[in-house]
PDB file of all heavy atoms in Angstrom:
ATOM      1  N   SER A  82     105.333 116.605 111.629  1.00  0.00           N
ATOM      2  CA  SER A  82     104.529 117.555 110.894  1.00  0.00           C
ATOM      3  C   SER A  82     104.828 117.417 109.343  1.00  0.00           C
ATOM      4  O   SER A  82     103.878 117.686 108.587  1.00  0.00           O
ATOM      5  CB  SER A  82     104.668 118.995 111.379  1.00  0.00           C
ATOM      6  OG  SER A  82     106.050 119.312 111.301  1.00  0.00           O
ATOM      7  N   ILE A  84     105.050 114.919 107.800  1.00  0.00           N
ATOM      8  CA  ILE A  84     104.306 113.819 107.175  1.00  0.00           C
ATOM      9  C   ILE A  84     102.844 114.003 107.493  1.00  0.00           C
ATOM     10  O   ILE A  84     101.981 113.616 106.737  1.00  0.00           O
ATOM     11  CB  ILE A  84     104.783 112.423 107.817  1.00  0.00           C
ATOM     12  CG1 ILE A  84     106.260 112.164 107.497  1.00  0.00           C
ATOM     13  CG2 ILE A  84     104.003 111.254 107.177  1.00  0.00           C
ATOM     14  CD1 ILE A  84     106.630 112.300 105.996  1.00  0.00           C
ATOM     15  N   GLN A  85     102.440 114.660 108.591  1.00  0.00           N
ATOM     16  CA  GLN A  85     101.020 114.858 108.819  1.00  0.00           C
ATOM     17  C   GLN A  85     100.463 115.626 107.660  1.00  0.00           C
ATOM     18  O   GLN A  85      99.318 115.295 107.264  1.00  0.00           O
ATOM     19  CB  GLN A  85     100.865 115.572 110.206  1.00  0.00           C
ATOM     20  CG  GLN A  85      99.390 115.882 110.421  1.00  0.00           C
ATOM     21  CD  GLN A  85      99.032 116.508 111.794  1.00  0.00           C
ATOM     22  OE1 GLN A  85      99.813 116.307 112.735  1.00  0.00           O
ATOM     23  NE2 GLN A  85      97.983 117.221 111.861  1.00  0.00           N
ATOM     24  N   ALA A  86     101.092 116.595 107.129  1.00  0.00           N
ATOM     25  CA  ALA A  86     100.604 117.376 105.994  1.00  0.00           C
ATOM     26  C   ALA A  86     100.328 116.542 104.767  1.00  0.00           C
ATOM     27  O   ALA A  86      99.519 116.843 103.959  1.00  0.00           O
ATOM     28  CB  ALA A  86     101.540 118.485 105.648  1.00  0.00           C
ATOM     29  N   ASP A  87     100.970 115.358 104.697  1.00  0.00           N
ATOM     30  CA  ASP A  87     100.779 114.381 103.549  1.00  0.00           C
ATOM     31  C   ASP A  87     101.075 114.965 102.207  1.00  0.00           C
ATOM     32  O   ASP A  87     100.506 114.496 101.287  1.00  0.00           O
ATOM     33  CB  ASP A  87      99.426 113.826 103.656  1.00  0.00           C
ATOM     34  CG  ASP A  87      99.319 112.524 102.815  1.00  0.00           C
ATOM     35  OD1 ASP A  87     100.178 111.727 102.851  1.00  0.00           O
ATOM     36  OD2 ASP A  87      98.317 112.443 102.067  1.00  0.00           O
ATOM     37  N   PHE A 110      93.050 109.858 108.653  1.00  0.00           N
ATOM     38  CA  PHE A 110      92.518 110.295 109.909  1.00  0.00           C
ATOM     39  C   PHE A 110      91.803 111.563 109.783  1.00  0.00           C
ATOM     40  O   PHE A 110      92.365 112.441 109.024  1.00  0.00           O
ATOM     41  CB  PHE A 110      93.644 110.433 110.989  1.00  0.00           C
ATOM     42  CG  PHE A 110      93.086 110.704 112.306  1.00  0.00           C
ATOM     43  CD1 PHE A 110      92.818 109.644 113.239  1.00  0.00           C
ATOM     44  CD2 PHE A 110      92.732 111.979 112.821  1.00  0.00           C
ATOM     45  CE1 PHE A 110      92.199 109.873 114.481  1.00  0.00           C
ATOM     46  CE2 PHE A 110      92.240 112.194 114.060  1.00  0.00           C
ATOM     47  CZ  PHE A 110      92.008 111.142 114.880  1.00  0.00           C
ATOM     48  N   PRO A 111      90.592 111.790 110.236  1.00  0.00           N
ATOM     49  CA  PRO A 111      89.879 112.994 110.058  1.00  0.00           C
ATOM     50  C   PRO A 111      90.394 114.166 110.903  1.00  0.00           C
ATOM     51  O   PRO A 111      89.891 114.536 111.950  1.00  0.00           O
ATOM     52  CB  PRO A 111      88.375 112.630 110.514  1.00  0.00           C
ATOM     53  CG  PRO A 111      88.529 111.515 111.446  1.00  0.00           C
ATOM     54  CD  PRO A 111      89.857 110.798 110.968  1.00  0.00           C
ATOM     55  N   GLY A 112      91.492 114.758 110.423  1.00  0.00           N
ATOM     56  CA  GLY A 112      92.161 115.705 111.205  1.00  0.00           C
ATOM     57  C   GLY A 112      91.393 116.993 111.476  1.00  0.00           C
ATOM     58  O   GLY A 112      91.493 117.488 112.592  1.00  0.00           O
ATOM     59  N   ARG A 113      90.497 117.461 110.599  1.00  0.00           N
ATOM     60  CA  ARG A 113      89.660 118.555 110.862  1.00  0.00           C
ATOM     61  C   ARG A 113      88.727 118.388 111.976  1.00  0.00           C
ATOM     62  O   ARG A 113      88.420 119.259 112.720  1.00  0.00           O
ATOM     63  CB  ARG A 113      88.913 118.967 109.606  1.00  0.00           C
ATOM     64  CG  ARG A 113      89.831 119.511 108.464  1.00  0.00           C
ATOM     65  CD  ARG A 113      89.049 120.063 107.337  1.00  0.00           C
ATOM     66  NE  ARG A 113      89.990 120.413 106.227  1.00  0.00           N
ATOM     67  CZ  ARG A 113      89.572 120.807 105.067  1.00  0.00           C
ATOM     68  NH1 ARG A 113      88.275 120.934 104.770  1.00  0.00           N
ATOM     69  NH2 ARG A 113      90.462 121.224 104.059  1.00  0.00           N
ATOM     70  N   GLY A 115      89.479 116.599 114.492  1.00  0.00           N
ATOM     71  CA  GLY A 115      90.388 116.852 115.686  1.00  0.00           C
ATOM     72  C   GLY A 115      90.960 118.198 115.841  1.00  0.00           C
ATOM     73  O   GLY A 115      91.904 118.468 116.528  1.00  0.00           O
ATOM     74  N   ARG A 116      90.448 119.209 114.961  1.00  0.00           N
ATOM     75  CA  ARG A 116      90.943 120.590 114.974  1.00  0.00           C
ATOM     76  C   ARG A 116      92.426 120.685 114.613  1.00  0.00           C
ATOM     77  O   ARG A 116      93.119 121.483 115.227  1.00  0.00           O
ATOM     78  CB  ARG A 116      90.564 121.260 116.296  1.00  0.00           C
ATOM     79  CG  ARG A 116      89.084 121.266 116.534  1.00  0.00           C
ATOM     80  CD  ARG A 116      88.735 121.753 117.906  1.00  0.00           C
ATOM     81  NE  ARG A 116      89.053 120.786 119.039  1.00  0.00           N
ATOM     82  CZ  ARG A 116      88.492 119.747 119.324  1.00  0.00           C
ATOM     83  NH1 ARG A 116      87.315 119.475 118.649  1.00  0.00           N
ATOM     84  NH2 ARG A 116      88.885 118.964 120.334  1.00  0.00           N
ATOM     85  N   THR A 117      92.903 120.037 113.574  1.00  0.00           N
ATOM     86  CA  THR A 117      94.212 120.177 113.108  1.00  0.00           C
ATOM     87  C   THR A 117      94.205 119.911 111.615  1.00  0.00           C
ATOM     88  O   THR A 117      93.102 119.741 110.987  1.00  0.00           O
ATOM     89  CB  THR A 117      95.098 119.119 113.777  1.00  0.00           C
ATOM     90  OG1 THR A 117      96.533 119.399 113.367  1.00  0.00           O
ATOM     91  CG2 THR A 117      94.785 117.653 113.441  1.00  0.00           C
ATOM     92  N   ASN A 118      95.277 119.992 110.909  1.00  0.00           N
ATOM     93  CA  ASN A 118      95.298 119.825 109.460  1.00  0.00           C
ATOM     94  C   ASN A 118      95.251 118.301 109.081  1.00  0.00           C
ATOM     95  O   ASN A 118      95.548 117.427 109.898  1.00  0.00           O
ATOM     96  CB  ASN A 118      96.621 120.381 108.911  1.00  0.00           C
ATOM     97  CG  ASN A 118      97.898 119.818 109.509  1.00  0.00           C
ATOM     98  OD1 ASN A 118      97.999 119.677 110.711  1.00  0.00           O
ATOM     99  ND2 ASN A 118      98.814 119.380 108.596  1.00  0.00           N
ATOM    100  N   GLU A 119      94.793 118.113 107.802  1.00  0.00           N
ATOM    101  CA  GLU A 119      94.718 116.789 107.259  1.00  0.00           C
ATOM    102  C   GLU A 119      95.117 116.686 105.842  1.00  0.00           C
ATOM    103  O   GLU A 119      95.330 117.721 105.243  1.00  0.00           O
ATOM    104  CB  GLU A 119      93.208 116.243 107.371  1.00  0.00           C
ATOM    105  CG  GLU A 119      92.251 116.997 106.542  1.00  0.00           C
ATOM    106  CD  GLU A 119      90.716 116.752 106.881  1.00  0.00           C
ATOM    107  OE1 GLU A 119      90.516 115.934 107.817  1.00  0.00           O
ATOM    108  OE2 GLU A 119      89.892 117.205 106.056  1.00  0.00           O
ATOM    109  N   SER A 120      95.252 115.474 105.275  1.00  0.00           N
ATOM    110  CA  SER A 120      95.691 115.396 103.927  1.00  0.00           C
ATOM    111  C   SER A 120      94.739 116.011 102.914  1.00  0.00           C
ATOM    112  O   SER A 120      93.524 115.918 103.142  1.00  0.00           O
ATOM    113  CB  SER A 120      95.771 113.837 103.636  1.00  0.00           C
ATOM    114  OG  SER A 120      96.008 113.604 102.185  1.00  0.00           O
ATOM    115  N   ARG A 135      96.348 114.893 120.592  1.00  0.00           N
ATOM    116  CA  ARG A 135      97.412 114.649 119.670  1.00  0.00           C
ATOM    117  C   ARG A 135      98.605 113.907 120.402  1.00  0.00           C
ATOM    118  O   ARG A 135      98.640 113.868 121.564  1.00  0.00           O
ATOM    119  CB  ARG A 135      98.002 116.050 119.193  1.00  0.00           C
ATOM    120  CG  ARG A 135      97.061 116.696 118.294  1.00  0.00           C
ATOM    121  CD  ARG A 135      97.398 118.216 118.122  1.00  0.00           C
ATOM    122  NE  ARG A 135      98.865 118.330 117.859  1.00  0.00           N
ATOM    123  CZ  ARG A 135      99.490 119.485 118.042  1.00  0.00           C
ATOM    124  NH1 ARG A 135      98.865 120.582 118.505  1.00  0.00           N
ATOM    125  NH2 ARG A 135     100.775 119.588 117.771  1.00  0.00           N
ATOM    126  N   MET A 150      96.836 110.654 116.554  1.00  0.00           N
ATOM    127  CA  MET A 150      96.046 111.374 117.406  1.00  0.00           C
ATOM    128  C   MET A 150      94.714 110.542 117.462  1.00  0.00           C
ATOM    129  O   MET A 150      94.528 109.661 116.786  1.00  0.00           O
ATOM    130  CB  MET A 150      95.707 112.833 116.859  1.00  0.00           C
ATOM    131  CG  MET A 150      94.852 112.895 115.616  1.00  0.00           C
ATOM    132  SD  MET A 150      94.478 114.683 115.155  1.00  0.00           S
ATOM    133  CE  MET A 150      93.702 115.286 116.596  1.00  0.00           C
ATOM    134  N   GLY A 259     101.449 111.008 110.846  1.00  0.00           N
ATOM    135  CA  GLY A 259     102.380 111.822 111.400  1.00  0.00           C
ATOM    136  C   GLY A 259     101.696 112.767 112.393  1.00  0.00           C
ATOM    137  O   GLY A 259     100.526 113.024 112.291  1.00  0.00           O
ATOM    138  N   GLY A 260     102.486 113.332 113.334  1.00  0.00           N
ATOM    139  CA  GLY A 260     101.963 114.169 114.316  1.00  0.00           C
ATOM    140  C   GLY A 260     102.798 115.465 114.441  1.00  0.00           C
ATOM    141  O   GLY A 260     103.964 115.359 114.500  1.00  0.00           O
ATOM    142  N   ASN A 261     102.158 116.564 114.372  1.00  0.00           N
ATOM    143  CA  ASN A 261     102.790 117.795 114.523  1.00  0.00           C
ATOM    144  C   ASN A 261     103.593 117.965 115.787  1.00  0.00           C
ATOM    145  O   ASN A 261     103.026 117.670 116.911  1.00  0.00           O
ATOM    146  CB  ASN A 261     101.825 119.025 114.442  1.00  0.00           C
ATOM    147  CG  ASN A 261     101.130 119.114 113.145  1.00  0.00           C
ATOM    148  OD1 ASN A 261     101.602 118.657 112.103  1.00  0.00           O
ATOM    149  ND2 ASN A 261      99.921 119.811 113.154  1.00  0.00           N
TER     150      ASN A 261
END
Side-chain angles (χ1 to χ4, degrees):
S82 56
I84 303 304
Q85 179 174 332
D87 194 46
F110 190 89
R113 291 184 186 178
R116 298 173 291 281
T117 186
N118 58 311
E119 64 188 10
S120 170
R135 291 166 46 198
M150 73 175 300
N261 295 339

